[in-house]
Amino acid sequence: MQLPTSPLLSVVVAVYNGEAFLDQFFSCLVAQNIDSMEVIIVNDGSTDGSMGIVEKWREQLPQMQVLEQENQGVSAARNTGLAVATGQYLSFPDIDDYFKPGMYQRLLDMALENTLDVVTCNGNYVWENDKKPSRPIFPLDKLQSTGVMTGPAWLKQALDSRKFLHVTWLNLYRHDFIRQHNFHFEPGLRHQDIPWTTEVLLTAERVQYTSEQFYDYYIHSASVSHKPDTDDTLIRSARHYMKILQMLDAINQRYPEKVSRIPACHWQIAKEGLGIIHTFDNMKDEQKKAMIIREFFERGIWKLIWKSAKSPRLRWRLGRRYFRLKRYI
């Protein structure tokens, strides 16, 4: 009796109230025209008509399974899908984006030919109603196609470009590699792709990047990350980034030898730290601002950012903010 072979690709998809985007998303999946592909839909507590649309597409995607869970966020949904995935390679697309026919086949061909742990392509930023002209996610003059290289070498090159975006949806990951290191997404954390990508690349041995632009990242008003901020959403964002900085620091300490050759691993902590301080600047309620700034110092985040700022320019940018922040304590 012949044992069933595992699919080449598992596509793990978190769905939460995505009825406006799912038809386009499934059209993109079907257009990939890959027979050996399982699709794992994780319904993260949707309350709209998302599941009706999913059912409508079942016939065209026979290797699709649907998992249900209470709303826990995209990280938990990805972990749920990852736990049951059987494919040789994994992908984690967002449902509100567009990916072009041939994307997964091209990345699979590269991955299988070179036994890659991670394979990455380029994409475009696309604005709703053409508010801005679209542009490449990785500028073509800053990051060009590579041969096979180690993960740390690619991470250094990518971070040194100062134009690198930590995302999962431009990548395929070798499943055995992810399983071997027991990688998972941090539950309840927004922008969890930052620590995920950093640690995955620090451990990967074989990585390759193609500057071909297969993926359109859609910037629109319905996206949680692009809605207007209030003081409360700014506080939540600051807390998420404080957690991210602590995770990045822990990662740096786990891989000291590799990180010693990638100064930008420290730079990214200082850069994201400046982003947190910028968040404080945008808050209107002085009491709330004082509360979150106190938390920022009490959690040791300022000390971590200052320690990570190795260049005189970064230290100068931080130093001029220090006394303005201290006024609130």
Side-chain angles (χ1 to χ4, degrees):
M1 187 176 102
Q2 191 174 4
L3 291 171
T5 55
S6 63
L8 283 179
L9 180 64
S10 293
V11 183
V12 177
V13 188
V15 175
Y16 176 69
N17 291 353
E19 63 183 356
F21 307 104
L22 280 168
D23 278 321
Q24 176 186 277
F25 174 78
F26 282 120
S27 295
C28 291
L29 268 187
V30 170
Q32 297 302 304
N33 202 25
I34 295 175
D35 294 330
S36 187
M37 175 177 77
E38 69 174 0
V39 179
I40 300 167
I41 303 291
V42 183
N43 179 26
D44 189 38
S46 296
T47 56
D48 66 354
S50 291
M51 288 305 101
I53 298 170
V54 169
E55 287 304 317
K56 186 180 78 177
W57 283 90
R58 266 188 190 276
E59 199 174 312
Q60 292 191 62
L61 292 161
Q63 280 187 286
M64 180 162 78
Q65 59 176 307
V66 179
L67 308 175
E68 302 275 350
Q69 66 180 37
E70 291 180 11
N71 180 246
Q72 298 172 59
V74 65
S75 293
R78 283 175 173 172
N79 289 338
T80 297
L82 181 56
V84 302
T86 62
Q88 293 177 47
Y89 280 85
L90 304 163
S91 74
F92 301 94
D94 283 350
I95 59 170
D96 53 350
D97 296 332
Y98 173 82
F99 44 105
K100 297 173 185 175
M103 172 178 171
Y104 285 157
Q105 191 60 60
R106 171 73 173 124
L107 294 181
L108 277 172
D109 287 346
M110 290 171 65
L112 293 166
E113 182 182 347
N114 294 305
T115 324
L116 301 177
D117 296 324
V118 184
V119 56
T120 302
C121 68
N122 202 352
N124 296 290
Y125 291 114
V126 177
W127 276 266
E128 184 177 38
N129 302 323
D130 297 321
K131 284 180 186 169
K132 295 183 186 178
S134 70
R135 60 180 172 84
I137 291 171
F138 302 138
L140 302 177
D141 60 331
K142 298 282 187 186
L143 287 171
Q144 287 136 16
S145 298
T146 70
V148 179
M149 57 203 308
T150 67
W154 166 243
L155 181 63
K156 182 180 189 310
Q157 184 175 323
L159 288 178
D160 285 351
S161 78
R162 300 300 192 249
K163 296 293 181 182
F164 184 56
L165 189 68
H166 296 78
V167 293
T168 57
W169 29 260
L170 291 175
N171 307 324
L172 298 189
Y173 303 93
R174 188 168 61 84
H175 196 172
D176 282 346
F177 161 70
I178 297 297
R179 197 185 278 122
Q180 174 192 345
H181 293 279
N182 194 29
F183 288 133
H184 65 278
F185 297 93
E186 185 70 18
L189 184 68
R190 276 183 65 186
H191 309 295
Q192 77 289 333
D193 289 10
I194 299 172
W196 162 277
T197 303
T198 301
E199 186 155 24
V200 162
L201 290 178
L202 281 171
T203 52
E205 293 177 10
R206 298 179 64 79
V207 174
Q208 191 171 8
Y209 166 70
T210 173
S211 61
E212 295 166 274
Q213 294 152 263
F214 283 114
Y215 195 103
D216 287 347
Y217 175 66
Y218 189 40
I219 298 170
H220 57 89
S221 53
S223 167
V224 173
S225 55
H226 296 106
K227 288 187 175 173
D229 280 310
T230 65
D231 280 354
D232 288 340
T233 62
L234 289 169
I235 287 170
R236 272 201 302 275
S237 176
R239 284 180 173 145
H240 282 292
Y241 273 101
M242 287 187 221
K243 168 81 170 177
I244 285 167
L245 297 198
Q246 290 171 325
M247 291 175 70
L248 288 175
D249 185 50
I251 290 167
N252 286 354
Q253 291 179 47
R254 281 200 289 278
Y255 307 94
E257 194 178 316
K258 292 175 180 176
V259 167
S260 69
R261 296 192 290 272
I262 312 173
C265 282
H266 299 289
W267 166 81
Q268 68 177 346
I269 291 177
K271 183 206 59 149
E272 301 294 0
L274 277 166
I276 295 173
I277 295 169
H278 182 63
T279 298
F280 302 152
D281 294 341
N282 291 331
M283 293 181 65
K284 296 178 175 62
D285 185 312
E286 292 293 303
Q287 282 187 312
K288 288 181 177 179
K289 186 188 288 194
M291 177 273 295
I292 193 65
I293 290 173
R294 274 197 305 274
E295 185 178 324
F296 176 74
F297 279 95
E298 286 166 2
R299 288 174 64 172
I301 305 300
W302 169 266
K303 192 181 289 184
L304 171 57
I305 295 167
W306 184 257
K307 178 186 80 172
S308 302
K310 306 293 186 182
S311 71
R313 175 171 164 71
L314 267 176
R315 288 239 159 161
W316 177 79
R317 289 178 69 190
L318 285 167
R320 58 197 285 267
R321 303 291 192 104
Y322 178 77
F323 293 104
R324 264 188 280 169
L325 292 172
K326 274 293 192 180
R327 279 190 302 127
Y328 287 90
I329 299 179

